[in-house]
Amino acid sequence: MSSPSKALPAWIDVGVIPLINILLAFFVSGIVILIIGEDPIEAVKIVVYGAFGNDYNIGYTLHYTTNFIFTGLAVAVAFHASLFNIGGEGQAYIGGLGVGLLCLALDQYVPFWIILPLAIAASGLFGAAWAYVPAYLQAYRGSHIVITTIMFNFIAFSLMNYILVNVLIEPGQMSPESRDFLTSAQMPTMQEAVGWFGIEIEKSPLNLSILLALFSCTFVWLFIWHTRWGYAIRMFGFNENAANYSGINTQRLVVGTMCLSGVLAGFVGINEIMGNHNRVMLDFVAGAGFTGIAVALMGRNHPVGIIIASLLFGTLYQGGAELSFEIPTIQGEMVKAIQGLVILFCGALAYMSRPTIERIFTAIVESNGTAKEQTNG
Amino acid sequence: MKKLFQTAAASIIALTAATSHAEDIKPAVVFDMGGKFDKSFNEGVYNGVEKFSKETGIKYREFEVTNPSQREQAIRKMAQRGADPIVGVGFAQGPAIEKVAKEYPDIRFTIIDSVVDLPNVQSIEFKEHEGSFLVGVLATMASKSKKVGFIGGMDIPLIRKFACGFAQGAKYANSSAEVFSNMTGTTPSAWNDPSKGSELAKSQFDKGADVIFAAAGGTGIGVYQAAKDEGKYAIGVDSNQNHLQPGTMLTSMTKGVDVAAYNAFKSAMDGTWKPGKHALGLAENGVDWALDDNNKSLITDAMKAKVKEAREGIIAGSISVHDYKTDNSCPAL
């Protein structure tokens, strides 16, 4: 959040440095690809084409992006109160369960426009409930939130598994999945949505949930920087004692922040369950909750940064899948390694390149300055 | 020398004849989450298609799914690239295969462990309960305490089907036999958690079990090690694992996933590929128990006779093994 040393102009801090870090990550990835005997330039082409080459591929990229925006925002909101929410995975999973239960209960009786707000509420409520317990334990019992949210991920996996295997499964089938929702509980896909305006695109998992994601970004921006609660959260994040001293109820703040974080993570359920799979199933979050941590770190906990970072990770997910499809020697693990390198360079080593860039920048500024002086003199 | 030459020439002729008859196929396989080296189901398929590739020299396309959205995406992509036949691994790919198979009615699809009712889809299921029944019989007969254990991987209906067949077999051999059953976990990581497998095995040994059947992929390795350390017996799964801990491995319940995958490619090449539902049980040699040099000293004649009786009874229909899948419940457990 705060810059460690000499002030650089904002455009270098949030623009140039992340870009250089990503390029460094790709450079190292390129070397790795070269070592296993493939052509890195070709690989980059495949990744870019795989992510943006046609409307079908873009659909997948943006579908993943939507998930990452939700989980990235969830982590970021908690970060602002210096709470480390590692439970996005579980909160998203349970959020999806909430959406699923609601859709299964209502899809035979009421139309889509009633189900939609209720489903959004259910996903948020279930996600928040899953964040509430760790938050309560942190605020009132002092159990560290990192530990409890990790634990709650495992409890979420077990709960979901139990419900699917024993309750929601259709008799006579092997796959632990619920029945498919009726059309009244299916989020319109982007194909349908742009079809209303007479535009034709390929069907992909991309659906209208992306609008909810963008709305959430706006909301988080307003909430964190333009409301009293947001101010309290940031103040608590900077200095817990000061917040306490100025009369903020820090315990309620911790619980409230975590619940908001859980709501945002729970929205993944809208995108995956209502928008994509249209049934409750196992593993639909597929690591988006953990990727959200990297997204928030890279996006500097700011909604705009989170959108950009989500797009980057969406590209890596979709383009990476295409890469392992086109070049079989580059397997799934290899793609994960590339993603790991991006996280490493943009997260852990974010400040590695900073001193060099600072020196270059000051040199440029100074030489410009002297040049100006000379012309003036 | 001349004779050798003749045989070589003959075999070359035979080989060219065979290839000229064979269809030119572009096979593809989509592995499911867990990946092709999961020491279990996906790896079985991998071994099968690798064998095919080595024998015929035909390369195949492959993809490892890492999230649920990729299933349909990968299968469709294979179809777009003109792959034929396309093998989908695991029940989770059923809905994806169904969708894509409708879009591409001229391409042959094979789904393993699920049923998709379309004219261009071959559905291969295994009667795991029958094979598990047989190893259950062997387990109780080898057990001194008449207490046997089952350790499953991820808690899903498929694995409960194994457990249920095993329990029925154990009780068939001795109606007072006691069966303990544990699942390793509720996420795919349960397929590859040997240390937890070892813990679960030890706790079952503590309760008095002395034979444990593990249907848990890589987790089983820990179970077998624990059995060896405590001088008890273990039963392997999927492929013949008797060689892993000779003297400890009582037997293995083999499930011919590799054969099924191999046959899907091979039959497509020969032009004998047929759509429809294939349930492979004892009668079809889809599942069986393994007997080889590593475990022949552990299997007595009485055990052989009893398991033979059970096997014939199941095939003839005089013994009916309850299939967990039919009503999602297991009376024997």
Side-chain angles (χ1 to χ4, degrees):
Chain A
M1 266 167 278
S2 56
S3 34
S5 58
K6 276 176 272 178
L8 282 173
W11 62 273
I12 289 192
D13 204 25
V14 300
V16 175
I17 290 182
L19 198 68
I20 287 175
N21 288 335
I22 290 169
L23 290 177
L24 276 174
F26 284 155
F27 180 70
V28 176
S29 310
I31 293 176
V32 179
I33 290 174
L34 210 58
I35 290 170
I36 63 169
E38 298 293 340
D39 178 3
I41 305 292
E42 189 61 29
V44 170
K45 274 187 201 159
I46 291 169
V47 169
V48 173
Y49 183 83
F52 300 106
N54 53 44
D55 48 359
Y56 181 70
N57 293 354
I58 293 174
Y60 271 92
T61 305
L62 292 181
H63 172 71
Y64 295 130
T65 304
T66 309
N67 280 345
F68 299 147
I69 290 178
F70 286 135
T71 53
L73 287 176
V75 175
V77 165
F79 261 145
H80 278 292
S82 67
L83 296 165
F84 197 178
N85 180 12
I86 307 189
E89 191 81 9
Q91 289 145 18
Y93 211 25
I94 297 299
L97 178 65
V99 176
L101 292 177
L102 185 107
C103 291
L104 290 171
L106 291 184
D107 63 352
Q108 305 160 41
Y109 308 109
V110 294
F112 174 73
W113 56 271
I114 296 183
I115 290 187
L116 179 65
L118 291 175
I120 292 175
S123 67
L125 206 66
F126 273 63
W130 212 249
Y132 175 79
V133 184
Y136 178 87
L137 292 172
Q138 164 80 54
Y140 295 95
R141 296 284 178 272
S143 319
H144 203 282
I145 198 118
V146 168
I147 308 294
T148 46
T149 47
I150 293 177
M151 299 293 216
F152 263 68
N153 285 339
F154 288 106
I155 303 175
F157 300 146
S158 298
L159 178 71
M160 187 67 135
N161 200 82
Y162 175 82
I163 288 177
L164 279 174
V165 171
N166 295 289
V167 185
L168 291 180
I169 191 171
E170 283 187 274
Q173 73 156 19
M174 282 301 238
S175 198
E177 292 174 344
S178 75
R179 70 170 170 82
D180 286 4
F181 304 154
L182 305 178
T183 43
S184 61
Q186 297 181 3
M187 179 74 88
T189 62
M190 200 47 93
Q191 184 201 29
E192 288 164 3
V194 300
W196 301 331
F197 304 104
I199 307 167
E200 271 181 44
I201 56 168
E202 282 282 323
K203 190 177 185 324
S204 68
L206 181 63
N207 60 77
L208 289 185
S209 309
I210 194 167
L211 300 180
L212 179 66
L214 297 177
F215 171 79
S216 303
C217 286
T218 321
F219 170 79
V220 167
W221 176 73
L222 279 173
F223 181 81
I224 294 289
W225 282 280
H226 296 276
T227 66
R228 265 172 43 198
W229 301 291
Y231 181 75
I233 287 173
R234 283 181 295 136
M235 185 176 181
F236 177 82
F238 280 121
N239 191 328
E240 196 180 326
N241 293 332
N244 204 2
Y245 184 69
S246 62
I248 292 168
N249 183 338
T250 51
Q251 291 174 322
R252 261 177 48 197
L253 183 130
V254 167
V255 173
T257 310
M258 277 304 288
C259 284
L260 179 62
S261 180
V263 167
L264 291 164
F267 285 163
V268 170
I270 296 283
N271 187 31
E272 285 290 349
I273 295 298
M274 215 181 157
N276 181 15
H277 298 297
N278 295 316
R279 58 179 181 272
V280 188
M281 62 193 300
L282 291 174
D283 303 320
F284 65 85
V285 184
F290 298 121
T291 309
I293 298 169
V295 166
L297 277 173
M298 265 183 75
R300 304 278 178 100
N301 301 316
H302 191 285
V304 174
I306 286 169
I307 292 175
I308 297 169
S310 299
L311 195 60
L312 174 70
F313 276 92
T315 308
L316 287 176
Y317 260 59
Q318 167 57 17
E322 300 285 319
L323 187 60
S324 58
F325 190 92
E326 299 295 340
I327 309 181
T329 44
I330 301 181
Q331 297 188 342
E333 285 77 10
M334 187 66 217
V335 175
K336 271 186 203 155
I338 295 174
Q339 287 167 2
L341 283 168
V342 172
I343 296 174
L344 185 71
F345 277 96
C346 299
L349 303 178
Y351 294 115
M352 186 182 72
S353 60
R354 198 186 158 92
T356 323
I357 293 168
E358 245 170 33
R359 232 174 295 130
I360 295 169
F361 179 75
T362 7
I364 292 171
V365 171
E366 275 168 11
S367 68
N368 273 357
T370 43
K372 266 182 195 155
E373 271 166 33
Q374 277 164 2
T375 44
N376 287 346
Chain B
M1 190 63 207
K2 199 181 168 191
K3 193 161 180 214
L4 187 77
F5 205 75
Q6 274 172 346
T7 3
S11 54
I12 287 168
I13 291 164
L15 213 72
T16 40
T19 42
S20 66
H21 277 294
E23 263 187 84
D24 202 17
I25 59 163
K26 293 205 288 186
V29 55
V30 177
F31 297 103
D32 210 64
M33 286 159 85
K36 61 182 173 185
F37 297 121
D38 65 350
K39 295 199 175 61
S40 176
F41 193 69
N42 286 293
E43 192 160 341
V45 173
Y46 173 74
N47 292 336
V49 295
E50 271 294 297
K51 183 176 164 220
F52 171 83
S53 185
K54 279 207 187 90
E55 279 182 19
T56 61
I58 297 176
K59 288 220 168 68
Y60 60 92
R61 269 186 177 274
E62 58 170 342
F63 187 77
E64 289 176 276
V65 165
T66 52
N67 74 56
S69 306
Q70 285 179 350
R71 291 186 182 122
E72 194 186 317
Q73 189 187 13
I75 294 163
R76 181 172 297 121
K77 216 157 162 92
M78 294 293 185
Q80 281 168 351
R81 295 295 166 85
D84 180 30
I86 300 171
V87 173
V89 183
F91 56 77
Q93 295 194 1
I97 291 260
E98 189 171 355
K99 246 187 201 168
V100 182
K102 276 183 194 155
E103 294 167 21
Y104 294 88
D106 298 333
I107 292 178
R108 293 168 289 186
F109 294 86
T110 296
I111 173 96
I112 299 177
D113 257 7
S114 181
V115 174
V116 174
D117 196 10
L118 285 173
N120 58 329
V121 181
Q122 179 185 57
S123 310
I124 297 171
E125 282 193 301
F126 291 88
K127 297 179 183 167
E128 292 92 350
H129 50 292
E130 294 185 356
S132 302
F133 187 94
L134 295 192
V135 297
V137 171
L138 290 169
T140 306
M141 294 191 72
S143 167
K144 291 187 192 79
S145 61
K146 299 300 166 204
K147 289 176 183 164
V148 295
F150 174 85
I151 292 175
M154 188 175 169
D155 187 10
I156 49 172
L158 178 69
I159 296 304
R160 292 187 180 190
K161 191 174 169 183
F162 279 88
C164 192
F166 178 72
Q168 290 173 71
K171 285 180 180 163
Y172 170 81
N174 185 332
S175 57
S176 62
E178 218 179 309
V179 183
F180 308 121
S181 172
N182 286 105
M183 296 290 177
T184 308
T186 52
T187 60
S189 67
W191 301 121
N192 216 337
D193 195 346
S195 56
K196 193 159 178 200
S198 160
E199 288 301 314
L200 287 172
K202 279 177 189 154
S203 84
Q204 290 191 350
F205 290 139
D206 287 345
K207 283 197 269 182
D210 52 5
V211 184
I212 292 181
F213 175 34
T219 304
I221 306 296
V223 176
Y224 312 149
Q225 184 65 46
K228 188 182 184 205
D229 293 347
E230 306 222 353
K232 316 272 174 151
Y233 292 126
I235 298 172
V237 76
D238 287 344
S239 61
N240 183 350
Q241 296 184 313
N242 292 355
H243 62 279
L244 288 180
Q245 303 283 5
T248 297
M249 302 304 289
L250 183 66
T251 179
S252 297
M253 198 290 261
T254 57
K255 175 177 169 182
V257 178
D258 48 346
V259 181
Y262 175 84
N263 284 344
F265 281 5
K266 182 83 177 163
S267 63
M269 192 178 93
D270 301 341
T272 55
W273 185 93
K274 277 195 196 71
K277 191 180 158 182
H278 306 265
L280 308 180
L282 289 174
E284 298 83 11
N285 289 323
V287 291
D288 213 334
W289 69 285
L291 179 64
D292 61 13
D293 284 347
N294 290 313
N295 69 335
K296 66 179 179 197
S297 59
L298 305 176
I299 307 289
T300 63
D301 287 343
M303 287 158 82
K304 268 186 208 160
K306 189 83 177 168
V307 79
K308 187 163 181 261
E309 170 198 311
R311 183 194 171 89
E312 282 164 0
I314 292 170
I315 293 174
S318 61
I319 300 173
S320 77
V321 186
H322 177 76
D323 178 358
Y324 176 86
K325 194 182 74 167
T326 52
D327 58 357
N328 286 346
S329 74
C330 183
L333 259 181

